[in-house]
Amino acid sequence: MLVATILLAGVDLFFRGKIEGLLPGHHLTTTDSVDPPELVVCDVSRIDPDEVADAYPDVPILGFTNHTDTAGLRAAHAAGFDQVLAKSALNERLQEMVEQLIASVD
């Protein structure tokens, strides 16, 4: 498994803990970090998708939101996010998606 620096944008403490549990071994950072991320994971409902896409144009972006947040899902797709998942799918799909997106960078 590749170990990546993953920037968490707009992720609350509850979901940060959940993501840490789903992605053991990866280096999770916040926007305060000086380490350039190899992947950005963000809570679409808590960020502006266009701002995140503009800030990290060369970094794969994975967004997640409630499955009922159709406007957020559309905004993330329109901003050019590489993947967008419903929060309910994080448990089953997050690790697989992260591995695919990190591999696509190399």
Side-chain angles (χ1 to χ4, degrees), residues 17-106:
K18 186 171 190 164
I19 290 169
E20 285 173 346
L22 293 169
L23 300 175
H26 289 291
H27 178 59
L28 303 180
T29 66
T30 61
T31 52
D32 303 334
S33 175
V34 296
D35 295 330
E38 292 149 287
L39 175 68
V40 177
V41 174
C42 50
D43 185 337
V44 174
S45 67
R46 297 170 57 110
I47 53 98
D48 179 329
D50 289 318
E51 281 183 17
V52 173
D54 290 346
Y56 302 97
D58 301 324
V59 178
I61 302 173
L62 186 151
F64 65 87
T65 190
N66 291 320
H67 68 281
T68 55
D69 182 12
T70 53
L73 292 168
R74 278 197 304 273
H77 282 294
F81 283 24
D82 297 271
Q83 292 288 339
V84 184
L85 294 173
K87 279 184 181 180
S88 58
L90 284 178
N91 285 343
E92 301 89 50
R93 311 255 340 262
L94 183 64
Q95 191 164 13
E96 169 194 347
M97 291 283 114
V98 165
E99 288 176 14
Q100 285 178 5
L101 291 169
I102 292 168
S104 73
V105 174
D106 294 340

